[in-house]
Amino acid sequence: LTKARRWGLMIDPQAQANRWIKQMYKDNLDIVKPTNKDLIRRIEAGIRAGRCVLLENVGEEIDPSLDPLILQQKFMSGGQLMIKVGDNPLPWNDDFKFFMTTKLQNPHYTPEMQVKVTVLNFYITPSGLEDQLLGTLVAKERPDLEQMKNQLVTSNADMKRELKEIQDKILQMLEDVKGDVLDDENLIEYLGQSKIKSKEINEKVAEGEITEKNIDETREVYRPVAYHGSILFFVTAALSQVDPMYQYSLQWFINLFGRGIDDAEEDEDVQKRLKHLEAYITVLLYTNICRSLFEKHKLLFSFLLTIRIMQGSSKVNAKQWRYLLAGGGSAETQEGPNPAPAWLTPQCWGEMCYISGHIEELQGLNTHVAENIDHYHNFFMSASAHKEPFAGEWDAKLTKLEKMIFIRCLRPDKLMEAVQDFVIAEMGREFIEPPPFDLATSYKDSAPSVPLVFVLSPGADPFEELLKFADTMRMGKRLQFISLGQGQGPKSERMMKDGIENGTWVLLQNCHLAKSWMPTLERLVENFPEAINPSFRLWLTSSPSPYFPVSILQNGVKMTNEPPKGLRANLKRSLLSYPPDFLERSKKPVPFKKLMFALCFFHALIQERRKFGALGWNISYEFNTGDLQFCVRQLLAFLDKYDQVPYMVIKFLTGQINYGGRVTDDWDRRTLMTLLDMFITPETMEDYYKFSPSGIYASIPATDQAGYLEYLEGWPINAEPEAFGLHENAEITYARNETYDVLGAILAVEPRSGSVGGKNRDEVLAELAEDVDGKVRQPFDTKAIFARYPTKYEESLNTVLFQEAIRFNKLIKEVHGSLALLKKALKGLVVMSQQLELVSTALYNNMVPDSWASKAYPSLKPLSSWVIDLVQRTEAIEAWYQRDPAKQGNPPIFWISGFYFPQAFLTGTLQNYARKMQISIDTISFAFHYIDTPWNEVDAPPEDGVYIYGMFLDGARWDAEAKMLAESHPKQLFADLPVVWLKPEVDRKGGARDGVYISPCYKTLKRAGVLSTTGHSTNYVMTMEIPTDKPGAHWIKRGLAAMLALNY
């Protein structure tokens, strides 16, 4: 840093470089930030005065106006060295020094930027932190040793410096000698003295080094705890990649580590004491971190903590861990016939064959499953599959991690429960039972200069709880609060200034809404005066936001307090938000009580239905308490105004306006209105009218608030899917989504170094790149396709084929182009750009790179399945091209899932019929006929329209015998649709009617899409009619839809 010709740019997420520079140059240092309005002026003043300037918190790009300074573009003017910063040339001072630091953990600086500065990585390393923690630990446990060690280090350094000075003086005297060296008596005398002195110093240094070695040996006894502490810190630091609000500073961790040493159980036996330290510090960290985590991330943290500690003891097989996180198998990796196709999906069997072939300890597992298929059918159907024993010797043979790998293959919905058992077995039950929210404990950990931050989740409002706590602390009348937004910054600043002086509490709500004011907040907190009133506290609330100041998050006390989840808790919260006498305020008390209870239930149901993902809602809407309050007010007003209950008016205002105003998807609006039909209906007035088939949830006789609350106590804490109108399989969908979310989050925080199966990351990537490159075909010859299938008036599908080839070519070129560059970058032939780094990370994690996805069709498949799917799609296009259009014509049946843009194929089919019949295309629509013939036995196209196959049902199954929809089989989430004949008909009268379910058809399970430039949704394909013997409302509540592709 001091010797380099270029200025230093330090990667410093833990502010270590900042502290070091401030300590080194404390009396001669100016600190500036890129956000300072007077940045250039202060740098100019530093150059003139020859001071040091530290530019903190730089981003990935630096203001171009600083380029002359960074490049040190000095020039001579009037015999003086000058430099131009901003608009003004100013005299250069050789004493001036310039430093830059960034808090970004992994910044991507362009090569052009890197040649301008000296990039130094100050991010702490595991071994460096281990030494720091060892020093902290020994200083507390054996202060005598640490003091002696520090004295020795200092004295050894002094003696070595003295020795160097003697040697330098001898050399200087030899250089200054005139004539014969032996005639210089002073030199001879000094040489004699220095010889004696050097001998003494060398003896003392040798003695010191022996003593230091003995001290180090004694200190090494404590290293296991320091090593353990280093592991804990890096687990904690990785959480910032899960959520931007999960920031923890190194200083905070070292203070916590020190607290753990002080509070852990004492023991004369050093080894027992070390065990107490490890256990207590781990629990202390878990407790402190958990209070700032959302519920969905608490098990993730426990699991990550457990695995990292086990990895530190070399107890985790890297290949097994990688598979558990990223998977790797697909339906195409099957070996041998599927032993039970009735219940064992091709995907499950493919995954089992993959792990049997790629993980040494699981070789032969697929054969074992095939030989014991009845046992594993019971395993598959079990409600607690994660606790089921394996057949034969495999139960004792497999480790807990290997069993979890098997559960990931067969029953991924039970993996999180298996993870809980794994954490309990390895760490103890306290690591899956986080402590309850306690504001008083968080307050104890704070200080006047340490803000307290509430991290908000939907539906959470800590305001009332804070008011109660303020009253408890006798600060109720000294609490000032303001909700941030436009123009509130100056008011907040005055409030904070007043609080610092007078010792009041200040609450700044909704910080995420004041993005532009966040740098000001950071500056105010950093510049808190030393003379601060001890009663002052700064309370902040914010939803997760990348703009919230990292320094406040790292040094503040963070808390989350999520509202209780579930139908019962939600409904209870809604009822308690009104005063006890509110139910008595209407002139028609019975209808009001019953309809208000129904509205509260409806509100809870549509909120809790979100947890089922796309089965619940295509888009997750933020329905809130305000929506319910408007509906209740309108209900009260209408009941008092009209003699009869105006059900239609209430239903319209509730469904289309108050709640419907948030709903942007037409299919979601249909779901909302269908659900509302159950609640706003004259039948609600009947006592014990059922809101769900089970009868658990009903409209009880009108009562008061206490009566309704008492009724709710009889409800289950966790509602079954039937309460929402969904099939029992919806719970499996929810659990699977949760599993993949947790595994995906852990995958995102995995270190990018390390090895798998003896190969390092670069070798694995090179193999993957070569494998994918070899599987994906070269671009289509579009000229040849156009020559064979030219644009023809009577055959629109020729144009569809040509356009499909063009679209696939763009994707194929992107895949091959990025893989070719990646292979060169891995060999060091080209720079590993940020774009290539993103591609490499995605490949390594079995994910589709964003640069490929942006040029591809929508897909939720992991990379291994995505590549196979791409190959199959391009093979289908090639097979169509290879047909002779004159003799064979178009294919007899089309794999609709294989089209890049299926809407064009559907339009082309309608266009063919319109041109054949010489009528307007606007008058034609499809009739849907379901054919029994297997798709691979269809050998001739229909006279009009097309046969299609490759579609799935999500939320139901096709009953081949009854030729209509039926309830899904247990544990079977998706079912195949048979061959469909899309038959064009003129002036056809479709739409909702008895015996038909109007079903949307989507490209992927995500369902939600955006409107593209073609006027089509990126996900919605068409509306289908499917025969049924149940009312359409039944399937609407089930969330039933047709799909072109699954997520495996």
Side-chain angles (χ1 to χ4, degrees):
L1 191 62
T2 54
K3 302 275 175 79
R5 286 182 290 110
R6 293 172 291 188
W7 302 125
L9 169 54
M10 289 150 275
I11 299 168
D12 186 33
Q14 298 299 340
Q16 295 208 107
N18 260 28
R19 282 198 297 274
W20 180 71
I21 289 167
K22 286 171 185 175
Q23 200 171 338
M24 281 283 289
Y25 303 100
K26 54 189 169 187
D27 299 326
N28 189 35
L29 182 68
D30 291 328
I31 299 167
V32 292
K33 290 185 174 67
T35 52
N36 290 148
K37 291 177 183 175
D38 58 349
L39 172 66
I40 299 294
R41 187 176 57 77
R42 291 177 66 182
I43 290 175
E44 286 176 354
I47 295 172
R48 280 198 179 93
R51 291 173 62 80
C52 302
V53 174
L54 168 62
L55 177 60
E56 295 182 316
N57 299 354
V58 300
E60 291 187 346
E61 293 179 2
I62 295 175
D63 188 345
S65 64
L66 294 178
D67 272 0
L69 173 62
I70 291 170
L71 294 168
Q72 301 187 36
Q73 292 174 344
K74 294 172 273 193
F75 58 91
M76 294 297 291
S77 177
Q80 188 171 10
L81 207 54
M82 307 284 284
I83 192 166
K84 189 175 181 180
V85 180
D87 298 326
N88 309 315
L90 54 149
W92 178 258
N93 189 319
D94 285 332
D95 293 332
F96 171 76
K97 286 185 173 59
F98 187 55
F99 308 103
M100 292 166 282
T101 62
T102 177
K103 284 192 174 177
L104 300 173
Q105 280 192 23
N106 188 25
H108 289 276
Y109 291 112
T110 60
E112 293 80 12
M113 181 67 201
Q114 295 201 33
V115 297
K116 294 178 187 176
V117 295
T118 301
V119 178
L120 297 165
N121 191 355
F122 264 77
Y123 190 68
I124 194 158
T125 60
S127 57
L129 179 58
E130 191 182 320
D131 288 338
Q132 272 194 45
L133 295 178
L134 182 62
T136 304
L137 178 59
V138 175
K140 284 180 175 287
E141 293 289 293
R142 292 288 304 273
D144 55 323
L145 274 185
E146 197 61 15
Q147 190 178 355
M148 199 186 300
K149 163 88 174 171
N150 291 338
Q151 284 173 351
L152 273 173
V153 169
T154 308
S155 63
N156 279 358
D158 288 343
M159 286 188 287
K160 283 176 181 175
R161 190 180 68 251
E162 193 179 343
L163 198 59
K164 177 79 167 53
E165 286 170 358
I166 290 170
Q167 290 167 351
D168 289 347
K169 189 171 180 183
I170 291 170
L171 289 171
Q172 185 64 46
M173 290 175 78
L174 283 168
E175 193 180 325
D176 294 343
V177 167
K178 303 232 180 4
D180 192 345
V181 172
L182 296 174
D183 293 341
D184 192 325
E185 292 180 11
N186 289 336
L187 174 61
I188 300 298
E189 189 180 340
Y190 186 78
L191 282 170
Q193 289 172 354
S194 62
K195 184 180 178 184
I196 297 164
K197 187 72 175 172
S198 296
K199 190 179 178 185
E200 285 176 15
I201 289 172
N202 282 327
E203 284 171 0
K204 282 180 183 175
V205 167
E207 285 171 17
E209 284 174 351
I210 293 167
T211 311
E212 190 176 352
K213 192 177 176 185
N214 293 335
I215 291 170
D216 284 344
E217 284 174 7
T218 311
R219 287 173 92 242
E220 283 302 305
V221 174
Y222 294 93
R223 188 168 287 279
V225 176
Y227 176 65
H228 184 80
S230 175
I231 291 170
L232 298 184
F233 172 75
F234 282 98
V235 174
T236 306
L239 292 174
S240 63
Q241 294 173 60
V242 176
D243 191 288
M245 304 301 273
Y246 300 160
Q247 302 278 355
Y248 307 90
S249 72
L250 178 60
Q251 195 54 50
W252 172 86
F253 178 79
I254 289 172
N255 292 342
L256 187 82
F257 187 78
R259 226 172 81 201
I261 297 167
D262 295 338
D263 298 345
E265 185 184 333
E266 298 285 348
D267 202 299
E268 292 297 322
D269 186 322
V270 174
Q271 291 305 318
K272 285 183 181 176
R273 168 67 175 163
L274 295 180
K275 283 191 171 60
H276 293 325
L277 283 169
E278 275 189 21
Y280 184 77
I281 289 168
T282 310
V283 172
L284 183 66
L285 177 86
Y286 175 75
T287 307
N288 274 270
I289 295 291
C290 267
R291 74 178 173 204
S292 61
L293 299 183
F294 292 123
E295 287 297 326
K296 64 182 178 182
H297 294 142
K298 287 178 181 175
L299 181 59
L300 179 155
F301 176 58
S302 300
F303 187 36
L304 196 55
L305 196 62
T306 308
I307 288 290
R308 288 288 186 269
I309 290 169
M310 290 175 70
Q311 284 174 332
S313 307
S314 303
K315 291 180 182 175
V316 176
N317 179 306
K319 207 168 188 178
Q320 292 178 10
W321 174 236
R322 177 166 155 67
Y323 175 82
L324 184 68
L325 295 183
S330 69
E332 304 303 313
T333 52
Q334 298 183 50
E335 293 173 14
N338 185 335
W343 60 269
L344 190 62
T345 65
Q347 172 67 12
C348 283
W349 181 240
E351 294 264 7
M352 279 185 206
C353 294
Y354 181 87
I355 60 174
S356 298
H358 288 77
I359 298 175
E360 191 179 331
E361 296 78 6
L362 297 174
Q363 279 182 359
L365 182 63
N366 56 341
T367 311
H368 166 74
V369 169
E371 289 169 355
N372 298 272
I373 199 66
D374 290 339
H375 175 89
Y376 287 101
H377 180 243
N378 294 334
F379 191 112
F380 177 77
M381 297 303 292
S382 171
S384 53
H386 59 293
K387 293 184 183 293
E388 289 292 319
F390 284 65
E393 77 280 3
W394 281 81
D395 196 53
K397 180 178 170 184
L398 297 179
T399 65
K400 291 184 182 69
L401 191 63
E402 288 158 3
K403 287 178 180 177
M404 286 200 291
I405 288 172
F406 180 77
I407 289 166
R408 189 195 198 281
C409 294
L410 193 64
R411 285 290 301 277
D413 56 298
K414 289 293 174 186
L415 185 59
M416 285 303 99
E417 291 175 56
V419 164
Q420 279 193 341
D421 292 349
F422 177 75
V423 172
I424 290 170
E426 295 293 335
M427 302 281 284
R429 182 166 287 278
E430 64 267 33
F431 286 90
I432 63 152
E433 294 175 351
F437 177 74
D438 183 6
L439 201 48
T441 306
S442 300
Y443 178 76
K444 278 181 195 169
D445 291 345
S446 72
S449 58
V450 178
L452 295 107
V453 185
F454 286 103
V455 185
L456 303 177
S457 59
D461 185 3
F463 183 63
E464 292 298 326
E465 195 143 356
L466 181 57
L467 282 181
K468 288 177 193 169
F469 181 67
D471 288 335
T472 309
M473 300 298 292
R474 297 181 182 174
M475 293 294 290
K477 292 179 182 176
R478 301 181 66 201
L479 171 64
Q480 302 179 68
F481 53 88
I482 188 170
S483 183
L484 291 179
Q486 194 169 5
Q488 300 299 315
K491 293 180 188 173
S492 306
E493 206 166 331
R494 286 195 298 273
M495 209 178 269
M496 285 173 65
K497 190 177 178 185
D498 179 58
I500 289 167
E501 290 173 1
N502 302 320
T504 57
W505 285 5
V506 176
L507 168 64
L508 305 182
Q509 295 175 291
N510 301 322
C511 292
H512 57 282
L513 301 179
K515 174 185 168 184
S516 61
W517 193 70
M518 287 299 98
T520 307
L521 176 64
E522 183 174 26
R523 177 178 53 78
L524 291 170
V525 172
E526 282 182 353
N527 296 330
F528 273 157
E530 288 185 20
I532 191 168
N533 192 304
S535 298
F536 170 72
R537 289 294 185 279
L538 176 63
W539 303 81
L540 306 167
T541 74
S542 176
S543 291
S545 166
Y547 310 112
F548 195 90
V550 171
S551 61
I552 294 178
L553 288 170
Q554 286 188 342
N555 301 310
V557 176
K558 296 177 291 298
M559 301 160 280
T560 56
N561 184 21
E562 293 179 81
K565 289 198 167 56
L567 268 183
R568 187 175 84 171
N570 196 313
L571 195 51
K572 201 171 178 179
R573 197 164 62 247
S574 294
L575 288 171
L576 287 170
S577 67
Y578 292 94
D581 65 335
F582 186 78
L583 287 171
E584 314 299 332
R585 293 183 185 178
S586 174
K587 295 173 186 173
K588 298 187 184 73
V590 172
F592 179 63
K593 289 175 181 178
K594 280 184 163 284
L595 286 172
M596 181 175 165
F597 181 74
L599 277 175
C600 291
F601 191 171
F602 169 73
H603 175 76
L605 185 139
I606 62 173
Q607 279 195 320
E608 297 299 323
R609 197 177 157 97
R610 289 181 303 204
K611 78 173 190 175
F612 297 104
L615 270 178
W617 301 105
N618 287 357
I619 298 166
S620 183
Y621 302 102
E622 293 296 334
F623 300 119
N624 61 36
T625 313
D627 301 329
L628 174 64
Q629 287 170 349
F630 270 112
C631 293
V632 170
R633 270 187 236 152
Q634 288 171 344
L635 173 67
L636 185 60
F638 284 122
L639 287 179
D640 288 351
K641 189 173 182 180
Y642 298 103
D643 294 334
Q644 298 296 318
V645 179
Y647 291 103
M648 292 299 292
V649 176
I650 294 167
K651 192 184 295 182
F652 183 84
L653 287 171
T654 301
Q656 299 288 5
I657 310 294
N658 298 336
Y659 286 99
R662 296 183 183 277
V663 178
T664 54
D665 184 285
D666 288 341
W667 299 102
D668 280 342
R669 187 177 294 274
R670 181 180 76 158
T671 303
L672 183 80
M673 296 308 294
T674 304
L675 291 170
L676 189 58
D677 285 341
M678 289 195 307
F679 298 95
I680 307 301
T681 168
E683 292 168 315
T684 310
M685 295 302 130
E686 298 170 15
D687 289 345
Y688 301 107
Y689 161 68
K690 294 179 181 178
F691 290 129
S692 75
S694 67
I696 294 172
Y697 310 96
S699 176
I700 61 168
T703 179
D704 58 7
Q705 190 187 66
Y708 280 117
L709 292 172
E710 186 182 341
Y711 170 57
L712 293 181
E713 290 303 317
W715 285 14
I717 294 172
N718 297 312
E720 293 293 322
E722 65 92 23
F724 304 91
L726 295 162
H727 188 271
E728 63 182 28
N729 285 352
E731 198 65 47
I732 297 174
T733 301
Y734 165 63
R736 281 169 69 114
N737 291 344
E738 185 184 26
T739 294
Y740 294 132
D741 285 349
V742 168
L743 296 180
I746 294 176
L747 200 54
V749 305
E750 278 294 284
R752 295 184 185 179
S753 55
S755 60
V756 177
K759 296 174 186 171
N760 65 33
R761 186 174 186 270
D762 285 359
E763 288 170 335
V764 172
L765 277 171
E767 277 185 19
L768 279 169
E770 201 62 53
D771 181 49
V772 174
D773 210 20
K775 284 178 179 174
V776 177
R777 61 163 293 142
Q778 291 302 311
F780 291 104
D781 183 346
T782 50
K783 287 182 181 176
I785 291 175
F786 189 74
R788 185 175 289 191
Y789 290 90
T791 303
K792 292 171 71 176
Y793 176 81
E794 64 275 10
E795 186 49 84
S796 297
L797 294 186
N798 284 6
T799 305
V800 172
L801 174 62
F802 180 64
Q803 289 177 347
E804 285 288 304
I806 291 171
R807 290 188 182 101
F808 276 113
N809 276 359
K810 286 180 185 174
L811 172 59
I812 291 166
K813 286 172 184 172
E814 176 64 32
V815 170
H816 286 305
S818 58
L819 289 176
L821 279 174
L822 178 62
K823 286 189 273 188
K824 286 181 180 177
L826 291 171
K827 291 174 183 173
L829 301 175
V830 297
V831 173
M832 179 69 84
S833 66
Q834 184 178 359
Q835 189 69 29
L836 286 178
E837 197 170 320
L838 291 172
V839 171
S840 69
T841 303
L843 286 179
Y844 192 73
N845 291 342
N846 195 25
M847 293 160 70
V848 181
D850 288 342
S851 59
W852 298 4
S854 66
K855 288 186 168 54
Y857 41 85
S859 177
L860 302 177
K861 296 176 187 286
L863 181 68
S864 51
S865 302
W866 185 88
V867 171
I868 292 163
D869 181 54
L870 174 60
V871 170
Q872 289 172 343
R873 286 173 187 249
T874 52
E875 283 173 352
I877 297 295
E878 180 66 27
W880 186 355
Y881 163 67
Q882 291 298 342
R883 295 176 68 86
D884 184 338
K887 294 179 182 175
Q888 297 172 296
N890 288 327
I893 187 169
F894 290 91
W895 178 39
I896 191 167
S897 307
F899 284 104
Y900 190 112
F901 187 49
Q903 292 97 323
F905 166 73
L906 298 173
T907 305
T909 304
L910 289 174
Q911 204 166 46
N912 275 354
Y913 185 74
R915 288 173 177 176
K916 174 184 173 183
M917 305 303 290
Q918 297 292 307
I919 52 175
S920 168
I921 192 172
D922 295 341
T923 63
I924 308 170
S925 58
F926 286 124
F928 297 85
H929 299 276
Y930 297 84
I931 312 298
D932 291 335
T933 312
W935 70 268
N936 51 0
E937 293 178 18
V938 175
D939 52 11
E943 188 175 339
D944 293 316
V946 288
Y947 292 131
I948 59 170
Y949 74 98
M951 302 169 77
F952 307 91
L953 286 174
D954 181 16
R957 66 181 173 88
W958 177 258
D959 187 333
E961 291 181 10
K963 294 189 178 178
M964 64 174 65
L965 290 171
E967 295 289 1
S968 301
H969 290 308
K971 313 285 188 298
Q972 184 184 12
L973 303 183
F974 312 108
D976 293 344
L977 259 177
V979 172
V980 182
W981 176 17
L982 299 180
K983 184 182 179 185
E985 291 184 2
V986 182
D987 295 328
R988 186 170 172 278
K989 291 191 168 46
R993 59 192 186 277
D994 290 344
V996 169
Y997 171 63
I998 306 300
S999 170
C1001 173
Y1002 299 100
K1003 293 179 187 175
T1004 70
L1005 293 168
K1006 187 181 176 186
R1007 303 194 187 191
V1010 295
L1011 202 63
S1012 64
T1013 52
T1014 60
H1016 295 84
S1017 165
T1018 52
N1019 212 332
Y1020 170 77
V1021 179
M1022 62 177 167
T1023 301
M1024 299 178 66
E1025 295 175 0
I1026 310 178
T1028 178
D1029 60 352
K1030 289 185 168 64
H1034 174 82
W1035 299 115
I1036 291 170
K1037 286 184 267 186
R1038 284 280 193 263
L1040 171 59
M1043 301 290 158
L1044 296 191
L1046 304 178
N1047 55 357
Y1048 54 78

